Amino acid sequence: MALYDTIISGGTVVTASDRILCDVAIKDGKIVALGSGLTGADEVIDATGKLVLPGGVDAHVHIAQPSGEGIVMADDFESGTRSAALGGTTTVMPFCLQEKGQGLRAALKDYHAKADGECHVDVSFHLIISDPTEQVLGQELPALVEDGYTSFKIFMTYEGLALKDREILDVMSVARDTGALVMVHAENYDAIRFLTEQLEKRGQTAPRFHATSRPIAVEREATHRAISLAELVDVPVMIVHVSNREAMEQIRWAQNKGLTVLGETCTQYLVLTEKDLDGLGMEGAKYVCSPPPRDTESQEACWEGLRTGVFTIFSSDHCPFRYDDPQGKLTPKGRTSFRWVPNGIPGVGARLPILFSEGVMKGRIDLERFVAVTATNPAKTYGLYPRKGTIAVGADADIAIWDPTKTQTLTHDLIRDGADYTPYEGIEITGWPVHTLLRGKTVARDGEVVGQKGLGQHLSRAKSPFAVQRDPVAS
Ligand code: DUC
Ligand code: ZN
Ligand code: ZN
C-alpha cells in the first residue's frame, strides 16, 4: 500500500506567514507531510510553476435563504457550492435565517435538510437572530453555541429583521455569556425608511436611488452604535460588509481604543461603484446590494483597510438573484421602486480571482495577506482553525492550486452559480485556481466540477478565540 494517497509536487506553498517551495503529502484527507522530494503516493499532482494555497474560506454567503414574497434565491446548496469549488473556495459559511415566530432549532433543521448531500465544499452555518424571544435567548442560543453554532448575525435594518437597540444588547449579552461571536449588519433602519419615502414621493424610484437611500452616514452611524453597544456589554463584535472610509474609521477608532472590534469587507466594495447602479432601464438592479457600492475613494479606503489590518476578513457576501426573472431582480414590484428589488449580488466564485488579480497581481496586497484574509483569518475567527485555512501537517487537505499566469476575462460561465449574470462581467483577471481539493479529493479542475455532489460536509465549530479566553500556550 502506498505511503500517501496524493502528493502535490513542485509548487510554491503559501500560508498567511510564509511561502516555500515544497511538496505536500496527503493521507486520508489530511495533510501529513511537507518536504522536498516526497515520494510514495498513489497520485502525484504536478504543481511546478503553480501556487499551492489553502482552499478559501468564505465566511459570508447566503444560499437558499427565503427573501420575500415571490422572490427566490438563485442558488441552492448544489449550485452555490459548485461555484465556490470552481473559484478555489473549500468552505462556505452560509446563514440560517430564523423567521419571526420560528425557533432556532426548527430553522436549522430546514437548512440542514436543504444542504445535506448537496454540497461540493464544506459548509458551516451562522445563525441570523430575527426574533430574540426569552426562549431563544435563554435556552436555544446557549445550547446551540455548545453544539458548534458559535456565531450569529443581527441586523440593524430591514423590515422583519431589524433589532431594536435593547434587543441588540440582549443578544450581545448572551454572546458574552456563551462565548459566541456577534456579526452586525450596520445600517440605520429609520434613516433608510425616511430617505426612501422622500425619494419615492419625488418619483425617484429607479435602481440607482437604492444607493441614495443608504448614504455613508447611515452606515457610519450604525457602525458606531453597534460598537458602542458592544462596548457596554463588553463583548467582541464583527462589523460585516464594510463599504467605506467613515465606517472603517469607526472600527479603527475602536481597535485603537483597545476594543475587540473586527471588520470584514467584500468584493463589491473594491471593484464596483454607485455608478454601476445607473444602467439603462432596470440594468442597475444587477448591482443592488446593501450597503451599496460607493465611489473610488471608498474603494481605496477598503484596500487600505485590508492592507493595514483594520479588516481581517474578505468575503463575497454572495446573495444571488437571477436578473431576468420575475422571481429575481426583475420582480414586477421592483419596477415600481428600488425598495422592492431583491437585495444582494452573486460573488462566491469570483471572490478569490478578483482579489488575487486586483490585489496581489497589481501589488496592493502581498500573497501572504491574500491567504490571511481569504482563508486563515476567517477560519481562525469562526473557530475552524487549524483544521481549515492553512497548509500544515494535521490540517484538512483543502487546497487550491493557482496558475498565477493564466489571464482571462471574467464571465458568468467561469463562475457557474445559479444566477444568470455576474456583476463582475468583463474584468480582466490574471491568476486562476485551476485545481481545487477538498479533504484530498479533487472537486474542481480546469474549470470543471469533478465528482459527485455530497462530498461537502457540515462543520461544527469551536468558539472564536476572540470570544473566549484561550490557554496562552495551547496548540
Ligand atoms: N446583507 C447581507 O449580508 N447580504 C445581502 C443583503 C444584506 O443586506
Ligand atoms: Zn448584511
Ligand atoms: Zn450578507
Side-chain angles (χ1 to χ4, degrees):
M1 200 167 80
L3 189 54
Y4 306 123
D5 298 328
T6 305
I7 290 173
I8 301 172
S9 74
T12 299
V13 172
V14 187
T15 68
S17 57
D18 300 294
R19 63 183 92 173
I20 181 162
L21 193 63
C22 76
D23 304 334
V24 180
I26 299 168
K27 180 82 182 163
D28 298 330
K30 298 275 183 196
I31 296 169
V32 293
L34 298 171
S36 304
L38 296 179
T39 55
D42 289 330
E43 179 195 26
V44 175
I45 300 171
D46 181 8
T48 308
K50 308 273 193 324
L51 300 172
V52 179
L53 270 45
V57 177
D58 193 340
H60 186 152
V61 305
H62 304 261
I63 299 178
Q65 195 178 298
S67 306
E69 219 181 295
I71 303 298
V72 177
M73 206 165 252
D75 273 316
D76 56 20
F77 280 86
E78 194 280 323
S79 61
T81 59
R82 170 182 73 206
S83 184
L86 287 168
T89 288
T90 48
T91 299
V92 294
M93 302 186 67
F95 292 90
C96 163
L97 168 69
Q98 176 201 22
E99 312 255 10
K100 279 258 191 266
Q102 190 184 33
L104 295 175
R105 291 253 179 224
L108 272 169
K109 197 163 166 240
D110 288 352
Y111 280 80
H112 277 288
K114 292 190 254 194
D116 284 354
E118 294 295 312
C119 296
H120 294 277
V121 303
D122 284 351
V123 167
S124 188
F125 288 115
H126 306 286
L127 305 168
I128 291 177
I129 312 299
S130 67
D131 199 2
T133 60
E134 260 179 47
Q135 166 76 9
V136 164
L137 295 172
Q139 314 292 327
E140 285 203 290
L141 264 183
L144 286 169
V145 173
E146 292 312 310
D147 286 353
Y149 301 93
T150 54
S151 48
F152 22 92
K153 183 175 177 191
I154 55 176
F155 285 79
M156 299 172 84
T157 189
Y158 289 127
E159 201 69 49
L161 279 180
L163 301 189
K164 298 189 180 74
D165 288 355
R166 171 57 201 259
E167 293 174 315
I168 294 174
L169 288 163
D170 286 337
V171 172
M172 285 180 168
S173 165
V174 173
R176 186 182 192 282
D177 293 346
T178 58
L181 186 59
V182 181
M183 309 158 79
V184 182
H185 178 125
E187 288 185 296
N188 181 316
Y189 176 61
D190 286 327
I192 293 168
R193 289 221 40 180
F194 169 77
L195 293 170
T196 299
E197 284 166 20
Q198 289 208 328
L199 287 161
E200 286 181 342
K201 271 189 209 145
R202 293 201 290 265
Q204 295 178 317
T205 55
R208 69 171 177 280
F209 294 107
H210 168 77
T212 324
S213 74
R214 309 172 97 102
I216 284 173
V218 159
E219 184 182 345
R220 184 196 64 221
E221 184 279 329
T223 301
H224 190 88
R225 184 157 36 104
I227 290 168
S228 301
L229 298 178
E231 181 184 9
L232 292 176
V233 178
D234 186 23
V235 72
V237 70
M238 164 68 73
I239 309 295
V240 293
H241 47 49
V242 178
S243 73
N244 69 89
R245 181 174 302 282
E246 293 185 20
M248 177 182 77
E249 277 171 357
Q250 307 310 303
I251 299 171
R252 180 154 42 204
W253 168 82
Q255 290 170 346
N256 287 342
K257 199 169 140 73
L259 301 174
T260 307
V261 174
L262 307 161
E264 171 203 73
T265 192
C266 308
T267 323
Q268 53 266 45
Y269 307 119
L270 300 182
V271 297
L272 300 180
T273 69
E274 190 176 343
K275 286 201 168 55
D276 287 300
L277 280 91
D278 275 352
L280 277 181
M282 289 297 289
E283 280 283 316
K286 289 181 176 172
Y287 304 91
V288 166
C289 61
S290 296
R294 309 285 184 186
D295 56 12
T296 50
E297 205 298 302
S298 298
Q299 292 179 345
E300 274 317 304
C302 291
W303 283 111
E304 180 187 312
L306 283 174
R307 215 168 28 242
T308 59
V310 179
F311 302 136
T312 47
I313 292 191
F314 179 74
S315 304
S316 67
D317 197 2
H318 178 76
C319 187
F321 299 96
R322 288 172 54 79
Y323 173 66
D324 193 5
D325 191 326
Q327 294 184 318
K329 295 284 189 181
L330 293 189
T331 170
K333 264 177 109 179
R335 293 179 191 272
T336 68
S337 169
F338 60 83
R339 164 199 316 230
W340 304 111
V341 173
N343 217 315
I345 60 176
V348 69
R351 174 184 75 123
L352 296 179
I354 290 177
L355 190 70
F356 188 92
S357 185
E358 290 291 316
V360 178
M361 298 310 284
K362 293 193 175 169
R364 290 170 164 132
I365 57 170
D366 63 21
L367 255 179
E368 289 80 359
R369 190 166 296 266
F370 173 85
V371 170
V373 298
T374 59
T376 316
N377 293 345
K380 282 186 176 171
T381 302
Y382 293 112
L384 289 170
Y385 184 85
R387 180 175 173 195
K388 303 292 187 187
T390 194
I391 296 189
V393 170
D396 280 2
D398 293 357
I399 291 172
I401 303 174
W402 285 70
D403 180 348
T405 64
K406 195 172 170 79
T407 56
Q408 53 197 337
T409 306
L410 198 56
T411 58
H412 187 249
D413 336 330
L414 296 172
I415 307 296
R416 281 202 258 141
D417 55 27
D420 55 353
Y421 76 102
T422 166
Y424 308 114
E425 184 86 21
I427 298 181
E428 297 300 330
I429 300 284
T430 302
W432 198 264
V434 291
H435 194 150
T436 309
L437 295 98
L438 176 69
R439 281 178 271 104
K441 296 263 187 306
T442 295
V443 289
R445 185 168 202 168
D446 298 326
E448 296 299 332
V449 169
V450 175
Q452 296 295 311
K453 67 182 184 182
L455 201 63
Q457 298 174 352
H458 183 263
L459 306 167
S460 142
R461 287 179 282 122
K463 293 177 184 175
S464 171
F466 292 106
V468 288
Q469 202 101 58
R470 289 185 79 199
D471 176 341
V473 291
S475 59

